[in-house]
Amino acid sequence: MIRFLQFISDKFLAKRLDFRVRLFNVLAMAGMTIGIVMAVLGVFTNAGFWNILANIIAAALAFCLLYYSYKSGKYQQFYMFTTIIIFLIFFPVLFFTGGGYHSGMPSFFVFAVLFTVFMLESKKIIVMAVIEMLVYIGICLTAYKYPQSVHFFETEQEFLMDIIIGFTSVSLALGVTLYLHFRMYNKQQRELEAARVEALRFSKAKSNFLANMSHEIRTPINVMLGMNEVIIREKGSERIRGYSLNIQNAGKTLLALIDNILDMSKIESGKLEIISENYQTGDLIDDLAMIGMERVSRHGIEFMVQADENLPCGLIGDFLHIKQVVVNFLSNAAKYTEQGSVTLSFDQKPGKVPDEIHLCISVSDTGIGIKEENIALLFDAFNRGELPAHRYVEGTGLGLAIAKNFADLMQGHIDVKSRLGHGSVFSVEIPQKVHNKTPLRQRTITAEEETAGEGGFIAPGGNVLVVDDSAENLLVVKSLLSRTLLQVDTVISGEECIKAVSKKRYHAILMDYMMPDMDGIDTLRALKEIPGFDTPVVAVTANVVAEVKETLLNAGFVEYLSKPIMWKDLEETLMGILPSDLIMINNQSAQNLIPLKIKKKLTLNAEVYGIILEEGLSYLSGDILQYKNLAIFFVENYDKSKLEATKAEAQKDWQSLKFTVHSLKSKARAVGAVNLSITAAKVEKQCMEENDTYIEVTLPILYYEWSRAQEGLKQLVAGLEELPNGQKIETENTGIGMDELLMLLKNNRQPDALAALERMIALSHRAETIERLQDIRQKVDEIEFREAERLLIGMGGDAIGR
C-alpha cells in the first residue's frame, strides 16, 4: 500500500509538475473516489440503476481524464472537458436519478463550482462558473415544477443516508483537496522564501565583489592617470606629450567602462536614485560643452553647441544623470564620426503643468549612421550593432542601455533618427521644473573658442596631510598638488595620521577610506576625540558603489573624491575648504597676462640668471601679478635666509640647514629657478644623511645659483613695474598688526608670517622688540608655529613701531 501511494505521489503530485496540474490530479482522484463510493452506497440506499450507473461512469471519466491529461500534458483542454462533460452533463443526470434536491446532490454542485474556480484561467473562470450556477438553479426549478421527472427516495431513511453520504463525501474531498492545496502552497512559499534569501545573499556577494573590484581596479588607474597628469603638465617634447595624452585617453576610456558596469549594477539592484535639485541651465550647457570639446577634439572634427535663447536660467531636476545621458550621446558621436562635425543642441517644449518645461537635448553628427533595423537594438545591454563593423571601437555597449534607464527613471524618453552613411541624431526629452524664468541669451561655442586658462590656485602657507596605505597613491596626490605650493605631508596609516595631527596643525586632510587596521571612518572618529580638532577631512576612495558617498558624508567627512583623482576636482575641493586668506586664485584675466613682446624680452633676460619664467608662470596660469608677488617675497627674504644658511654651515648644524634649503627648494621652484631648486633638493637630502663632504662641496654651487637667481628676480621685478598703456603693477608692502600676524601663525602660513615679521622688524626701533621679533621669526623658520604664537602673545600690545 505504501509503495502504491508512493507511486501515485511520484506520478501525479511530483514537484516537477505545475501547481495547478497537481491540484487537478488531486481533484480528479477525489472525484474518482467519490464516484466509486457513491455507486457502492447507492446499492444500499436504493438510489436506482441509473444513478449507480451514472456514478460508475463519472468515476471512469475521472480516471480517464486523470490518465490522458497526464500522458498528453494538455491540461487546460481536460479542465474544460471535465467541466462540460461531468459537471454540466453527468451531475444533472445524477440529480434527476438520485433524489433531486431531496438528496446529497446539491453538495456536489458546490464541489463543481470550486473545481472550476481552481482549475480554469482568466475569463473562463467567470463564464463557466456562471453557466454552472445557472444550470444548477435551472434543474432545481425544473425538479420543483415537474417532480415526476425526478426519481425520489422512497423512505426518509434513504433520503437522510444520501444527504449524509453527499456532504460527507464532498467535505472529505474538499478538505483533502484544500489541505493538499495549502500544503503545496506553503511548501512552495518556503521554497520561494529560501530562494529569495539565497538571491539576496548572492546579490550582496555581487555588491561586495563589485566594491572590491572597483577599489582594486581604480587604485592602479589612479596611479597611472595621476602620474600621467604630472607628465603632461611637465615641459617636454611634443612626442612625449603625445604619448602621455594617448595614455590619458586610454585610462579615461577604461574608467568609463568600469563606471558603466557599476551603473548597470545599480540599476539592476534598484539602488539608483533620482535626486531633484536646483541647478543653473548655463552650468549644464557649459559642462556638456567642455566634455563634448574634450571628446571630439581627439578626433580632429568640428564641435558646436547651440542653445535656445529662451531657455529658463534655473531648472529643477537630476543635473548629474542628465549629464550622464548626454555624455553617452557625445561619446558615441565622437567614436563613429571620422569627418564633418558634431553639434550639441538645447531646446525646450511646453510642460504639462505650470512652471514645467520639457528640456530637449540632442547630439547630431555626420558619422557612419545606423541601419533602420538596428535602431531598436541600440538600447540592449552589451549590444553594439553590427559587431564586425565596429570591432575596433572602444566600449562595452552599455552606454545607451544605461542612458535609456536614466531617462526612464527621470520620466523622460530618448529618440534616435539616423541614415546609414549620413549621420545620426540622438535626442532626450526630460520634464524639468523651473525655478528661475529669466531666459538665457543665445550662444554658440566652437572647439576653437576655449577659455584662456586652467584656473586653479596657490597657497604657499597651507598645510595638507594625505593619508593612504599605498605609497604610489601618496606620490600621485603630492605630485598633483605640487603646483599649488601647499606644504604636503604624507602618512601610510590611520595610526600615523593621529600622531601627525597631534604634532602639527593642518588646514585639510585627504584620507583614503579603505585602509587596513583602521579604515577612514575609524580614523576620523579617533581624530574627533582629539581636543580642539576641527580640521576638515576629505574622503578619498576607489569604492564608488551605491551608498558609499552617503555613508562617508554621514560619518563626518566634509567632501568625497573618487579615484582616480582628477587634479581639477582635487583643487576645487581644496579651494572650498581651505581658509580663504591662504588662497591666491589664478584667474589668468587679460589684465594680468604678460604681453607677448615683454614676455619674450623678460624670458631671455631671466634665462641668463638661471630663471625659466615660463616655469614660474605655469604655477599661476600665467598670472603675472601673482608671479611678481612671489618674486618680491623671494628677493626680500634672500639676505635673512642666506645668513641662516651660512650660520648653519659654520656650525655644521645640518639639521638647521635642512629646514632652510627645504624652504628654498619650493620657493625656487615657484619662481622658475629650476636649477637652484634641484640643487637645494640635493643638499637637503645630504643634510638628512649628514654627509659633510658632499655638503661642503655643493654649498658654494648652491650659493652661486642662489645669488644668480636673486639678481635675476630683481631685474624681473624692475622690468614688470610698467605695463603697456601706462598700467602699473603694484604690490602691497605695508606693516602688519599683532592680530593679523597671530592669525598667520594659527594658519601655519610660514612665508607670509616670515615676510610680515621682516617688515615689523624693519619698522621697529626698540632693540628689545627687535630681539623678540627675531626670536619669533626663528621659531617660524623652524616651523614651530605654536611656540611662535606663545612668544607673540607674551609680547602684548602692538608690535609695530616699537
Side-chain angles (χ1 to χ4, degrees):
M1 186 64 180
I2 296 175
R3 288 184 178 181
F4 175 73
L5 293 175
Q6 185 65 44
F7 172 80
I8 295 296
S9 177
D10 291 341
K11 291 292 183 182
F12 301 105
L13 303 176
K15 288 173 61 176
R16 68 179 184 277
L17 299 174
D18 181 72
F19 179 77
R20 186 179 277 114
V21 171
R22 284 183 280 169
L23 190 60
F24 170 77
N25 292 341
V26 168
L27 291 172
M29 286 187 286
M32 185 171 58
T33 304
I34 291 172
I36 294 171
V37 170
M38 292 299 293
V40 172
L41 293 176
V43 176
F44 298 100
T45 59
N46 296 317
F49 172 78
W50 294 111
N51 181 265
I52 295 171
L53 180 63
N55 276 307
I56 293 172
I57 293 173
L61 274 173
F63 172 78
C64 292
L65 289 171
L66 178 66
Y67 179 79
Y68 286 108
S69 63
Y70 172 77
K71 285 291 186 180
S72 67
K74 299 177 181 179
Y75 285 96
Q76 280 295 320
Q77 293 181 12
F78 284 97
Y79 300 159
M80 287 296 296
F81 187 80
T82 300
T83 302
I84 294 170
I85 300 299
I86 294 181
F87 297 155
L88 295 180
I89 296 177
F90 272 94
F91 273 20
V93 171
L94 290 171
F95 175 82
F96 285 109
T97 60
Y101 49 77
H102 291 291
S103 69
M105 199 61 210
S107 300
F108 289 93
F109 295 163
V110 176
F111 176 85
V113 175
L114 282 176
F115 178 93
T116 301
V117 171
F118 271 124
M119 291 296 102
L120 299 183
E121 296 176 343
S122 61
K123 294 180 181 178
K124 293 178 183 177
I125 296 175
I126 300 173
V127 173
M128 296 308 297
V130 169
I131 291 174
E132 284 177 337
M133 286 188 288
L134 290 175
V135 169
Y136 297 150
I137 292 171
I139 60 177
C140 287
L141 293 174
T142 301
Y144 174 76
K145 191 171 182 180
Y146 303 102
Q148 66 274 14
S149 63
V150 181
H151 178 266
F152 292 104
F153 292 106
E154 295 179 358
T155 66
E156 190 72 17
Q157 184 180 2
E158 293 175 350
F159 168 57
L160 178 62
M161 181 65 70
D162 192 74
I163 289 178
I164 292 173
I165 293 171
F167 78 72
T168 302
S169 300
V170 171
S171 296
L172 285 172
L174 290 180
V176 171
T177 300
L178 290 176
Y179 168 75
L180 292 174
H181 167 74
F182 286 117
R183 183 181 175 182
M184 287 187 289
Y185 174 80
N186 291 332
K187 186 176 181 181
Q188 195 170 45
Q189 285 299 107
R190 287 194 298 271
E191 290 172 351
L192 288 173
E193 179 62 21
R196 187 186 72 84
V197 171
E198 186 73 1
L200 288 174
R201 188 176 69 82
F202 279 121
S203 176
K204 186 176 181 180
K206 184 185 78 170
S207 297
N208 291 335
F209 168 75
L210 286 172
N212 292 330
M213 181 193 75
S214 170
H215 183 269
E216 295 302 320
I217 294 178
R218 281 174 171 268
T219 296
I221 294 178
N222 178 52
V223 175
M224 180 182 73
L225 292 184
M227 296 309 298
N228 193 66
E229 182 70 43
V230 176
I231 294 172
I232 291 173
R233 290 191 336 212
E234 292 290 336
K235 302 295 179 282
S237 70
E238 284 303 312
R239 186 171 64 175
I240 297 299
R241 181 174 173 81
Y243 294 157
S244 298
L245 289 173
N246 288 336
I247 294 172
Q248 198 79 349
N249 292 337
K252 288 182 178 178
T253 300
L254 178 59
L255 189 62
L257 299 182
I258 295 169
D259 286 340
N260 279 343
I261 292 171
L262 293 173
D263 281 339
M264 185 59 73
S265 172
K266 293 176 190 176
I267 291 168
E268 289 177 350
S269 65
K271 292 182 179 179
L272 190 71
E273 294 183 0
I274 298 301
I275 301 173
S276 293
E277 58 185 353
N278 293 358
Y279 67 90
Q280 299 300 314
T281 312
D283 290 345
L284 180 65
I285 294 172
D286 290 342
D287 286 2
L288 289 172
M290 186 180 301
I291 293 169
M293 283 188 279
E294 189 271 333
R295 295 282 196 278
V296 172
S297 63
R298 302 180 198 172
H299 302 269
I301 55 180
E302 185 181 10
F303 178 71
M304 294 178 291
V305 179
Q306 297 173 344
D308 178 7
E309 62 180 356
N310 296 315
L311 272 170
C313 280
L315 297 174
I316 304 173
D318 196 320
F319 181 83
L320 176 63
H321 286 123
I322 292 173
K323 278 176 56 177
Q324 285 185 265
V325 170
V326 181
V327 166
N328 275 300
F329 295 168
L330 290 168
S331 296
N332 280 347
K335 289 177 188 176
Y336 297 106
T337 305
E338 296 181 358
Q339 58 184 359
S341 64
V342 173
T343 303
L344 172 64
S345 303
F346 296 83
D347 206 341
Q348 63 176 317
K349 292 180 181 178
K352 296 180 180 179
V353 296
D355 294 327
E356 180 186 84
I357 66 163
H358 284 203
L359 179 63
C360 306
I361 307 175
S362 65
V363 175
S364 58
D365 62 65
T366 57
I368 61 175
I370 308 165
K371 288 183 179 179
E372 186 174 349
E373 60 267 26
N374 288 338
I375 291 178
L377 305 175
L378 289 175
F379 302 100
D380 293 341
F382 302 104
N383 180 67
R384 296 202 302 171
E386 296 179 343
L387 188 60
H390 303 153
R391 63 184 180 274
Y392 299 116
V393 177
E394 301 164 338
T396 59
L398 285 174
L400 290 176
I402 291 168
K404 183 179 186 303
N405 276 283
F406 286 166
D408 291 343
L409 287 170
M410 292 184 286
Q411 309 303 314
H413 69 273
I414 292 175
D415 182 57
V416 182
K417 295 179 181 177
S418 184
R419 285 180 58 200
L420 191 64
H422 291 80
S424 307
V425 179
F426 284 78
S427 306
V428 63
E429 182 178 319
I430 303 170
Q432 302 284 277
K433 292 287 185 180
V434 179
H435 77 83
N436 184 350
K437 295 182 180 180
T438 306
L440 287 173
R441 290 184 303 170
Q442 186 177 17
R443 28 184 205 168
T444 301
I445 307 169
T446 65
E448 288 76 21
E449 294 173 328
E450 297 185 47
T451 54
E454 298 173 335
F457 72 96
I458 60 170
N463 286 283
V464 174
L465 178 65
V466 185
V467 189
D468 199 304
D469 61 306
S470 166
E472 291 88 352
N473 286 338
L474 293 175
L475 180 60
V476 166
V477 176
K478 198 166 184 178
S479 300
L480 291 176
L481 291 176
S482 62
R483 71 179 196 169
T484 65
L485 304 183
L486 283 162
Q487 300 297 316
V488 181
D489 294 339
T490 60
V491 293
I492 62 171
S493 68
E495 292 86 350
E496 290 192 18
C497 170
I498 295 167
K499 292 177 184 177
V501 170
S502 300
K503 294 178 182 178
K504 185 176 178 180
R505 188 170 181 174
Y506 292 97
H507 298 106
I509 298 174
L510 302 172
M511 186 181 299
D512 184 34
Y513 167 44
M514 296 181 71
M515 296 186 293
D517 299 326
M518 290 181 70
D519 65 14
I521 293 178
D522 291 336
T523 305
L524 180 60
R525 289 197 190 106
L527 289 174
K528 289 185 176 181
E529 292 176 2
I530 298 175
F533 176 81
D534 59 357
T535 305
V537 184
V538 177
V540 181
T541 180
N543 188 346
V544 293
V545 296
E547 300 175 357
V548 169
K549 182 176 181 179
E550 289 75 13
T551 299
L552 294 173
L553 295 180
N554 291 336
F557 290 97
V558 298
E559 258 304 345
Y560 164 95
L561 285 171
S562 62
K563 295 177 183 176
I565 302 173
M566 299 295 123
W567 70 267
K568 286 185 179 179
D569 296 334
L570 181 58
E571 290 192 5
E572 285 178 5
T573 299
L574 288 174
M575 284 174 66
I577 62 177
L578 288 173
S580 58
D581 58 338
L582 286 179
I583 296 174
M584 289 188 284
I585 304 296
N586 303 331
N587 293 316
Q588 201 180 31
S589 56
Q591 63 268 27
N592 290 352
L593 295 179
I594 186 168
L596 185 59
K597 189 178 291 186
I598 295 178
K599 182 179 179 181
K600 286 182 177 179
K601 180 181 177 181
L602 293 176
T603 298
L604 291 173
N605 292 338
E607 285 177 356
V608 176
Y609 298 95
I611 296 171
I612 303 173
L613 181 59
E614 191 68 33
E615 179 74 18
L617 289 172
S618 69
Y619 288 103
L620 304 165
S621 296
D623 190 331
I624 196 61
L625 282 178
Q626 299 285 16
Y627 179 82
K628 186 185 175 188
N629 288 337
L630 289 178
I632 289 174
F633 176 75
F634 188 96
V635 170
E636 288 180 346
N637 282 272
Y638 171 74
D639 291 333
K640 176 188 72 70
S641 299
K642 180 73 176 292
L643 180 63
E644 290 169 354
T646 54
K647 182 180 177 182
E649 179 192 9
Q651 298 174 354
K652 292 194 175 183
D653 184 358
W654 306 137
Q655 291 305 310
S656 296
L657 181 61
K658 179 185 72 174
F659 288 113
T660 302
V661 294
H662 174 79
S663 178
L664 175 63
K665 177 181 66 175
S666 59
K667 293 173 188 173
R669 174 68 69 173
V671 294
V674 179
N675 289 336
L676 174 59
S677 179
I678 293 171
T679 304
K682 291 178 180 178
V683 174
E684 179 189 14
K685 182 180 179 182
Q686 298 305 318
C687 284
M688 287 188 286
E689 297 175 2
E690 297 190 348
N691 190 337
D692 296 21
T693 304
Y694 186 96
I695 296 170
E696 289 169 359
V697 170
T698 311
L699 273 177
I701 301 173
L702 179 72
Y703 294 150
Y704 169 71
E705 290 178 351
W706 199 350
S707 62
R708 273 205 329 159
Q710 160 77 359
E711 185 58 34
L713 288 171
K714 275 185 180 179
Q715 294 193 24
L716 264 175
V717 171
L720 290 171
E721 287 299 328
E722 295 292 337
L723 281 178
N725 303 322
Q727 186 181 7
K728 190 171 185 179
I729 301 178
E730 297 179 350
T731 306
E732 187 178 14
N733 187 8
T734 62
I736 187 169
M738 269 190 62
D739 290 340
E740 295 171 79
L741 177 58
L742 189 60
M743 185 59 67
L744 293 176
L745 295 177
K746 284 183 178 296
N747 291 320
N748 301 342
R749 294 179 58 180
Q750 186 191 40
D752 294 337
L754 287 172
L757 285 163
E758 289 294 331
R759 293 176 190 134
M760 293 170 74
I761 291 170
L763 291 171
S764 297
H765 304 291
R766 293 173 57 185
E768 182 185 355
T769 301
I770 293 173
E771 184 179 353
R772 296 178 74 176
L773 288 172
Q774 287 175 337
D775 290 340
I776 295 172
R777 183 186 64 183
Q778 179 67 26
K779 294 300 180 184
V780 173
D781 205 45
E782 294 171 355
I783 321 180
E784 295 288 346
F785 295 105
R786 306 294 77 80
E787 182 63 20
E789 283 182 51
R790 187 186 65 78
L791 293 174
L792 182 61
I793 293 170
M795 288 181 65
D798 190 346
I800 297 180
R802 296 197 176 189

